[in-house]
C-alpha cells in the first residue's frame, strides 16, 4: 500500500488446471481514473455468501493449507475432480473478488460528477473490492449521508437490494405474502424489518430454536423450524394464515423447496370446494437464490400442476425492473441505512487476516450469525 | 342403452375411504337438454394419459381384480396407504371420466345454435365422455367437416391443443426451438408434424431406438435417445444446433428435467466469452406436463441461476391466451384433423370391454404406441 495510493494490494483467487485453488494477495498499480472515474481507498468490504462462491469456488476447504508469509499469506486447497467441470470457465485466471464495499475518494477524473466526490465516503458496487484501492466509475458510487462510516455503508447493495427485490418480486408477480428460508441470516433479518415496516406477512423458515429466537426478538410473527417433527403442519398453518404463495430459498438442495410447495397447496386446498385431480389453480412459486446445500433439489410433485421453481438473482432482477425503479430501491436503502438495512459484523479483518486459516474456517462455513468485514486499509 | 337415448351407461370411478378403487358402469337417465344444450350419442372417446389419472387414480393396478358380469363388469384395486392423502379430495365420490369425445347429436334444446347441430357429428370437450349419451352445451361442441367420422374427431382437443399450446408457449416466452420428452407418443408425433409444417426446430428425446425410428420415419431431424451412453453429449449437440431453451417433459420424475437444463447451459456456454460463476444469462425453462414417472424430480443445479422448472397444463394455458386466440388454435385443428392432427388407435373397445383386465393391462401402461378408443355405442 503506497501512501499516495498509486499502488496497493488486491486479493486474488486462482483455480489451476491441476485442480489447485490458490488465494493470495498481489501488489498492483492503481489504474489512473478516466474522466468519469474516481479512485477510492477501500475501508470496508463484506464477505457475503455470494463472494465465497468466487473466492473459494468448488474447492474442498477441509484440505486448505496456509503458505507464504504473514504479510503475503497464501491459501491452497484442492478442488474435487467431480467439481472441476463447473470451474472450466475460470481455470488459470487470477480473479479479483468482492462485490461491494465503501471507502474514501482520494483522486478523481476531470468530470464534474467525479470531482464532486473528492474526499467523500462512498459505497460502491462492481467487483474487485477486496483491494486497497479501487478505480471505479463515479456512477457506480453512492455518496453516504453525513455521519455514515464506510463500515456502515459497506453492505449497502447486495443484501439490502436482494431483500427489497424479494418483496418487489412478490408484488409484481401478484402474491400477497412470502416465505423465506435460512431466515435468521443477516439478509433474513433485513427482510423481516422491511416486511414489518411495509405490513407484508413473512413466513420465516429456520433450522433451530436459537434462530427462531433471533427472529422473534426483532418482531417476526411467523417462524417455523424445519427440524421440528411438526414442521409440515406448522408451515401449512402459517401459509394458511398469511396466504403466502411465493418463497425465496437460500438452501437449494434437498427436499425443502418441494415441501414448501406441498404445504402451499395444502393451505390453498383447505378452502377448496371442488375436486380437481390437477390440484388447485393457484400458482405457487419457489425461487432458489442461494446454495447453502449444493446437492440436488428433490421435488416430490404432490402439489398439483400450477407451480414453478426457478433461479433468482439480483442482477437479472434489476435488469428486468429497469434503472428508474432500481434507483428508487437504492434511495430507500440510503435513507434507511442505519435502521432497516444495518448490517452487524462479528469480525473486522485486514486482507492478510482474511487469509488466515482460522478466520477462513469461520466465514467459510456461511453460518447464520457470523459475518465478516474486510478493511483493506487496516494493518 | 335405451333406443330413444333417454338413458344410457356411464363409466364411473370411485375411490372409497377404505382405500379401494372401484370402476363400474351405471345406467343413468340422460338429462333433458336445456335451451342451449344438445344430447350427443357418444361414438368415440379416447383414453388419454390425462384420463387415466382420474380413471385409476393412485391405485396400484397390479392388485386389480375383475368382478361383476360381462354386461356389468366391475374392476377393483387397492390404493396404497401412502397415496391416499393425495386422493382426499375425491373420496367416496362416484366420478364420471373422459375428457373429450365425438358423436351424433340426437336431440337439442330450443335455441337456434343448438337446433343447428341436430343430426350432425360433433366433437366435444367437457368430461364424462365415457357415457353412451352426453348432454352438453352447444358451444362445447365443434361440428366436424363433411366426411369426418366420430373416430376421426374424437381426439380433437387434448392432444392437438396441447401440442399447439407447446409451440405457442415457446413463441410467447421468446424461445426459438423446443425440446420434447417421451417424444414418440401420439402427442409427440403430432408435435413433430406441427413443427415440420411451421419450420420450428424440435429436439425429440426418446427412450429406445425403436421410438427414434418412429420419429425419423415421419421426418424428425433431431432425435436423441436418453438410454444411449452418449446421451448428454448428443443432447448438448442438438441444443447447440437448434438453440432450443424450452422443454416440455411428459415424464416428470427422475433426473431428466435437470439433465435437459444442464445440456442447455452447456450448449449456451459453448459460445460464452466471459466467465460468470452464476452461469449464462439466458433463461432456460422446462415445463412438466405429465407424470409418466410419478417419482421425485431431481435437479442437480449445474446450470447457473437463470432457469425455471414448472407445471404446464392445457386449460390454464387456454385461460391465459384468452378465447379469441384459443379459437384460432381450434380452427387450425379442425382444418388439419385428418393430416397433422390425425390420431391412430390400436384398439377400439366398448365400455364393457374397457373394463376387462386384459385391456386395462395394456392401456394402463401408458406405453408409447398403444392408444385406445372407446366406442360407448358399440355392443
Amino acid at each position: 500500500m503506497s501512501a499516495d495510493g498509486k499502488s496497493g494490494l488486491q486479493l486474488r483467487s486462482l483455480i489451476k488446471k491441476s485442480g489447485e485453488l490458490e488465494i493470495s494477495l498481489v501488489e498492483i498499480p492503481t489504474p489512473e481514473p478516466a474522466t468519469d472515474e474516481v479512485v477510492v481507498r477501500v475501508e470496508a468490504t463484506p464477505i457475503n455468501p455470494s463472494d465465497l462462491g468466487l473466492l473459494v469456488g468448488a474447492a474442498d476447504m477441509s484440505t486448505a493449507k496456509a503458505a507464504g508469509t504473514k504479510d503475503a499469506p497464501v491459501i491452497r486447497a484442492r478442488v474435487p475432480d467431480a467439481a472441476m467441470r463447473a470451474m472450466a470457465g475460470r481455470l488459470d485466471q487470477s480473479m479479483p473478488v468482492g462485490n461491494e464495499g465503501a471507502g474514501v475518494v482520494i483522486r478523481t477524473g476531470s468530470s464534474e460528477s467525479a470531482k464532486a466526490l473528492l474526499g467523500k465516503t462512498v459505497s460502491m458496487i462492481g467487483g474487485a473490492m477486496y483491494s486497497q484501492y479501487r478505480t471505479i466509475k463515479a456512477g457506480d458510487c453512492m455518496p453516504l449521508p453525513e455521519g455514515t462510516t464506510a463500515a456502515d455503508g459497506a453492505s449497502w447493495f447486495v443484501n439490502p437490494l436482494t431483500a427489497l427485490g424479494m418483496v418487489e418480486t412478490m408484488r409484481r408477480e401478484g402474491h400477497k405474502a412470502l416465505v423465506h428460508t435460512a431466515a435468521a441470516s443477516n439478509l433474513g433479518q433485513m427482510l423481516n424489518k422491511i416486511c414489518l415496516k411495509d405490513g407484508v406477512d413473512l413466513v420465516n423458515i429456520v433450522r433451530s430454536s436459537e434462530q427462531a429466537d433471533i427472529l422473534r426478538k426483532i418482531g417476526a410473527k411467523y417462524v417455523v423450524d424445519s427440524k421440528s417433527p411438526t414442521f409440515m403442519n406448522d408451515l401449512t398453518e402459517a401459509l394458511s394464515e398469511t396466504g403466502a404463495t411465493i418463497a425465496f430459498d437460500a438452501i437449494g438442495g434437498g427436499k425443502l423447496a418441494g415441501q414448501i410447495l406441498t404445504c402451499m397447496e395444502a393451505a390453498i386446498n383447505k378452502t377448496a370446494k371442488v375436486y380437481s385431480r390437477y390440484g388447485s389453480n393457484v400458482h405457487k412459486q419457489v425461487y432458489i437464490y442461494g446454495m447453502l446445500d449444493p446437492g440436488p433439489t428433490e421435488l416430490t410433485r404432490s402439489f398439483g400442476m400450477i407451480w414453478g421453481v426457478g433461479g433468482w438473482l439480483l442482477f437479472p432482477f434489476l435488469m428486468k425492473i429497469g434503472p428508474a425503479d432500481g434507483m428508487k430501491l437504492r434511495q430507500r436503502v440510503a435513507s434507511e441505512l442505519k435502521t432497516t438495512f444495518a448490517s452487524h459484523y462479528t469480525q473486522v479483518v485486514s486482507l492478510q487476516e482474511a487469509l488466515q486459516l482460522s478466520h477462513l474456517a469461520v466465514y467459510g462455513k456461511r453460518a447464520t450469525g457470523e459475518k465478516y468485514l474486510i478493511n483493506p486499509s487496516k494493518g
Side-chain angles (χ1 to χ4, degrees), chain A:
Chain A
M1 186 178 184
S2 63
D4 58 1
K6 295 284 182 189
S7 71
L9 292 175
Q10 182 172 74
L11 187 150
R12 292 290 183 84
S13 171
L14 169 68
I15 292 179
K16 300 177 185 174
K17 280 210 180 70
S18 62
E20 184 180 65
L21 164 73
E22 185 179 281
I23 311 176
S24 62
L25 302 179
V26 296
E27 178 89 19
I28 56 160
T30 308
E32 277 305 299
T35 310
D36 60 343
E37 288 184 335
V38 300
V39 176
V40 178
R41 184 178 67 237
V42 185
E43 295 182 346
T45 170
I47 302 178
N48 289 316
S50 52
D51 296 309
L52 286 171
L54 190 55
L55 182 65
V56 303
D60 173 2
M61 294 312 285
S62 70
T63 67
K65 288 193 171 54
T69 64
K70 184 160 175 287
D71 286 341
V74 175
I75 295 286
R76 291 200 177 89
R78 295 294 311 168
V79 178
D81 287 347
M84 281 297 282
R85 190 174 176 160
M87 298 292 105
R90 60 169 288 182
L91 291 184
D92 287 340
Q93 298 172 51
S94 174
M95 312 198 75
V97 185
N99 284 315
E100 63 184 342
V104 176
V105 175
I106 60 163
R107 207 155 60 245
T108 80
S110 58
S111 76
E112 287 310 310
S113 61
K115 285 198 287 187
L117 293 175
L118 189 66
K120 294 259 166 70
T121 301
V122 296
S123 290
M124 301 172 282
I125 181 74
M129 294 298 160
Y130 298 171
S131 306
Q132 290 182 323
Y133 298 101
R134 178 71 163 84
T135 303
I136 190 168
K137 286 209 169 115
D140 290 334
C141 298
M142 182 179 75
L144 292 170
E146 204 63 39
T148 308
T149 65
D152 291 334
S155 295
W156 72 294
F157 195 90
V158 177
N159 278 353
L161 287 180
T162 299
L164 283 173
M166 291 173 179
V167 179
E168 194 63 22
T169 298
M170 173 205 81
R171 290 195 183 107
R172 285 173 189 245
E173 299 188 2
H175 306 270
K176 65 171 194 169
L178 74 167
V179 180
H180 187 225
T181 73
S185 66
N186 202 291
L187 172 68
Q189 295 181 42
M190 228 173 246
L191 185 59
N192 272 280
K193 290 179 197 162
I194 295 168
C195 289
L196 284 167
K197 193 156 183 165
D198 292 7
V200 170
D201 278 338
L202 168 64
V203 178
N204 295 280
I205 300 178
V206 297
R207 287 164 294 176
S208 73
S209 57
E210 292 73 23
Q211 293 173 346
D213 289 344
I214 292 173
L215 292 177
R216 290 220 177 79
K217 262 181 208 147
I218 61 168
K221 185 170 171 195
Y222 301 98
V223 186
V224 296
D225 183 348
S226 61
K227 299 277 194 231
S228 158
T230 59
F231 170 59
M232 294 293 278
N233 284 335
D234 297 346
L235 179 57
T236 304
E237 192 58 42
L239 294 170
S240 190
E241 282 183 40
T242 58
T245 45
I246 186 169
F248 291 88
D249 175 32
I251 295 171
K255 293 174 187 287
L256 185 58
Q259 288 174 323
I260 294 169
L261 291 171
T262 298
C263 292
M264 284 178 177
E265 180 72 2
I268 294 161
N269 283 337
K270 278 190 176 180
T271 55
K273 304 236 170 349
V274 183
Y275 173 69
S276 163
R277 73 170 200 85
Y278 294 118
S280 76
N281 58 5
V282 177
H283 184 77
K284 301 159 292 290
Q285 180 69 39
V286 176
Y287 284 117
I288 295 175
Y289 74 95
M291 41 200 292
L292 294 178
D293 178 352
T297 308
E298 195 182 319
L299 305 172
T300 302
R301 300 181 318 290
S302 54
F303 35 71
M305 291 295 284
I306 315 293
W307 59 277
V309 172
W312 192 93
L313 261 189
L314 177 56
F315 287 93
F317 164 75
L318 290 173
M319 295 280 282
K320 194 187 288 181
I321 69 170
D325 283 349
M327 188 51 70
K328 280 184 206 155
L329 299 183
R330 289 188 189 205
Q331 281 161 352
R332 177 167 179 187
V333 176
S335 67
E336 300 174 32
L337 203 45
K338 287 187 162 185
T339 52
T340 314
F341 301 108
S343 283
H344 303 284
Y345 303 100
T346 45
Q347 289 274 355
V348 179
V349 293
S350 66
L351 283 172
Q352 292 82 358
E353 287 165 343
L355 297 202
Q356 288 175 10
L357 283 179
S358 56
H359 286 305
L360 194 53
V362 178
Y363 66 72
K365 269 191 310 191
R366 299 162 164 86
T368 296
E370 288 290 353
K371 182 128 183 128
Y372 269 62
L373 187 71
I374 299 176
N375 178 355
S377 298
K378 179 188 170 191

